[in-house]
Amino acid sequence: MPRPPSSPAPTAGRPGASLGGHAVIYLVGTALQGLGVLLVLPFATRVLGAAEFGRVATGLVLVQMVGTIAAAGLPQVVLREHHRGEEGPRVARALAGTMVLLAVGLGVVGLALALVLSATGHADLGQWVPLVVAAVALTTVVAGQTLMRARLQPWGFLALAVLATVGAQLAGLLAARGEPTSGRYLTAYAVVLVVAAVVSLAVARPLPPTVERERVRAGVRLAAPLLPQAAAMLGLLSGDVLLARALVGEAGAGTYQVALQLGNMPFVLAVALFNAWGPLVLSHPLDRRWAWTARTGTALTTVVAAGAAGVALLGPWLVAVMADPGFDHVAMVGALGVICTVSISYMLYQGSSLAVLDAERTGRLAWSALAALAVVVLVALWLAPGAGATGGVVGIAVAKALGYVVLMALTTRFARTHSSLRWPRRVAVVALGGAALALAGAVLPLSGPGAWLRLALAALVAAGALVLAPRIVRVLRG
């Protein structure tokens, strides 16, 4: 999609200072919402039990998947268009309005399908309706959050994120205490998401797509390849929970979900950093954009690698807090260590994907994500069946990690082909070192000398992070 002739090139504002300040806000905010979910998790597993919690986990994955389809790959385009000329913010609001309309349309279809299936005795409206409503509301929230990111307003993003995650999960937990069923949990979860959606519309103020017809059409064309890409990315993010349910049962899915929530802590860190970093990359002057991206991206990857190693090495103690002995702790710790490596691959993927998006090669992003998802499914089908409950859970985690490696490798190759982004060699040392320590956390014994070795390695990671911290801060601010 060519830049309109009357539109000036994007300007950067205060890249270094903004990245440092915004990264802190996004990091604190995302950590708070992640911590809130983790605080709810041990109570939810105990209130619902493994089987009912597995149904809740599956329902939440379906909400995420439907919400992603409704978003139609537009969030990335909203970020890009906001910084393209004086009319960019108006175009971004119109694209966000398109997201909301698509969500409502898909919700109507979902409700009609639920009514048909219910009439024929193939669906329970009490289960379907909350999931459909939650998916529409979540997409509306994402539209508002995307505009907050584009406007470099992290506080608005934070407020919506906390309400739609911590608030919704807490409401589900409180409702389930009176009636410990997945249906009760999901209904309360959907109600709070609707409240968050209303707040999102009031704060972000999206516009109808008709106010910028030409650029909205062009944006939709650019986003079209991002729809299968977004669906595949959501499959990478949460589809492993569905695979766990199919391959190791509902109790196994509940066990895997606990490991996934813990293993996602460094992943949440990567997303938080990207929320601050991505808009600044796309608003940076083009002549310095990709050199600045490589330099700051290497620093951010170092932070994520240290976090991944630390969480994996402390796995046994984290698992003991989050789940009672009725869950398979050995499987959780093994899966947790492997899942932690995902965040490192994802941080590098995020930087490379910005270069591919800016070059308007969104089809490459779709192919990378679809190939990665195929790897996850094929490896999970190979490793999980017949491996037992513990081995099956760990096998699914291995499949997820390999899928993200493929995603990162393909996207980085496309970025190198279509842009001047070149990652320095030291980023490979950082990534491999962090992954090796995380995998050590997956295989070291949970007690005895192995536990002491875990603590020693975790202390070494913490000491290294403290030594490197001043240099990383200088890079992010320089």
Side-chain angles (χ1 to χ4, degrees):
M1 184 170 59
R3 179 176 293 140
S6 60
S7 299
T11 57
R14 298 176 291 109
S18 295
L19 177 55
H22 286 198
V24 170
I25 298 172
Y26 279 117
L27 178 56
V28 171
T30 310
L32 282 175
Q33 74 183 71
L35 179 60
V37 173
L38 289 176
L39 288 175
V40 170
L41 186 61
F43 298 102
T45 55
R46 288 166 172 81
V47 168
L48 294 171
E52 284 294 318
F53 182 75
R55 294 188 185 98
V56 167
T58 303
L60 296 179
V61 169
L62 291 173
V63 168
Q64 293 282 343
M65 287 186 168
V66 175
T68 297
I69 294 172
L74 286 168
Q76 297 96 315
V77 179
V78 170
L79 292 176
R80 181 177 186 266
E81 290 302 301
H82 182 87
H83 300 285
R84 288 168 62 86
E86 295 181 358
E87 71 277 23
R90 181 179 172 87
V91 175
R93 291 173 65 191
L95 287 167
T98 304
M99 289 176 59
V100 175
L101 290 179
L102 288 172
V104 172
L106 194 59
V108 171
V109 173
L111 289 176
L113 179 61
L115 290 172
V116 171
L117 292 176
S118 176
T120 58
H122 292 91
D124 179 4
L125 284 179
Q127 293 285 337
W128 270 73
V129 172
L131 294 179
V132 173
V133 171
V136 175
L138 180 61
T139 306
T140 303
V141 171
V142 170
Q145 288 180 306
T146 303
L147 287 174
M148 294 296 102
R149 286 181 60 202
R151 296 167 184 167
L152 304 181
Q153 295 175 342
W155 292 111
F157 177 94
L158 166 62
L160 291 173
V162 172
L163 180 60
T165 55
V166 178
Q169 295 279 0
L170 184 59
L173 174 62
L174 293 175
R177 290 188 66 183
E179 181 182 331
T181 64
S182 56
R184 188 69 175 266
Y185 191 106
L186 293 171
T187 298
Y189 174 83
V191 169
V192 176
L193 273 182
V194 170
V195 173
V198 172
V199 173
S200 174
L201 291 173
V203 173
R205 296 178 294 114
L207 295 173
T210 53
V211 302
E212 288 284 350
R213 292 180 185 274
E214 289 189 15
R215 288 189 63 177
V216 166
R217 288 196 192 100
V220 170
R221 286 196 297 270
L222 181 60
L226 294 175
L227 177 55
Q229 186 259 355
M233 288 299 296
L234 191 55
L236 288 172
L237 179 64
S238 303
D240 45 331
V241 177
L242 301 180
L243 285 170
R245 182 177 182 181
L247 298 176
V248 295
E250 288 182 343
T255 296
Y256 183 81
Q257 176 72 357
V258 176
L260 181 63
Q261 290 285 358
L262 291 169
N264 273 349
M265 286 196 290
F267 188 90
V268 167
L269 173 63
V271 173
L273 294 173
F274 180 72
N275 284 338
W277 185 47
L280 294 169
V281 168
L282 294 176
S283 66
H284 208 84
L286 188 57
D287 59 337
R288 303 191 305 273
R289 180 178 300 172
W290 303 119
W292 185 79
T293 299
R295 185 173 67 254
T296 53
T298 299
L300 296 177
T301 302
T302 303
V303 174
V304 172
V311 170
L313 290 168
L314 297 177
W317 298 279
L318 295 173
V319 163
V321 172
M322 292 300 152
D324 64 32
F327 287 78
D328 188 342
H329 285 206
V330 174
M332 286 182 183
V333 172
L336 165 62
V338 176
I339 291 170
C340 282
T341 65
V342 166
S343 61
I344 304 172
S345 300
Y346 191 66
M347 193 69 234
L348 290 170
Y349 157 78
Q350 289 179 128
S352 297
S353 70
L354 289 173
V356 178
L357 171 65
D358 199 53
E360 301 184 0
R361 299 286 184 170
T362 49
R364 302 292 192 272
L365 296 177
W367 283 114
S368 298
L370 290 169
L373 181 60
V375 168
V376 172
V377 174
L378 292 175
V379 174
L381 291 174
W382 172 41
L383 293 180
T390 298
V393 167
V394 175
I396 294 170
V398 171
K400 183 184 183 79
L402 289 176
Y404 273 89
V405 169
V406 170
L407 175 73
M408 177 269 295
L410 289 176
T411 308
T412 299
R413 179 183 176 186
F414 290 139
R416 187 177 181 88
T417 301
H418 300 297
S419 77
S420 59
L421 176 62
R422 300 292 183 271
W423 292 107
R425 292 182 179 178
R426 64 181 178 276
V427 80
V429 175
V430 169
L432 291 174
L437 288 169
L439 292 175
V443 300
L444 285 173
L446 283 77
S447 59
W452 288 106
L453 181 56
R454 285 175 177 274
L455 290 175
L457 290 174
L460 182 63
V461 170
L466 289 175
V467 171
L468 292 174
R471 181 176 179 181
I472 290 173
V473 171
R474 286 196 300 271
V475 170
L476 296 181
R477 294 186 61 86

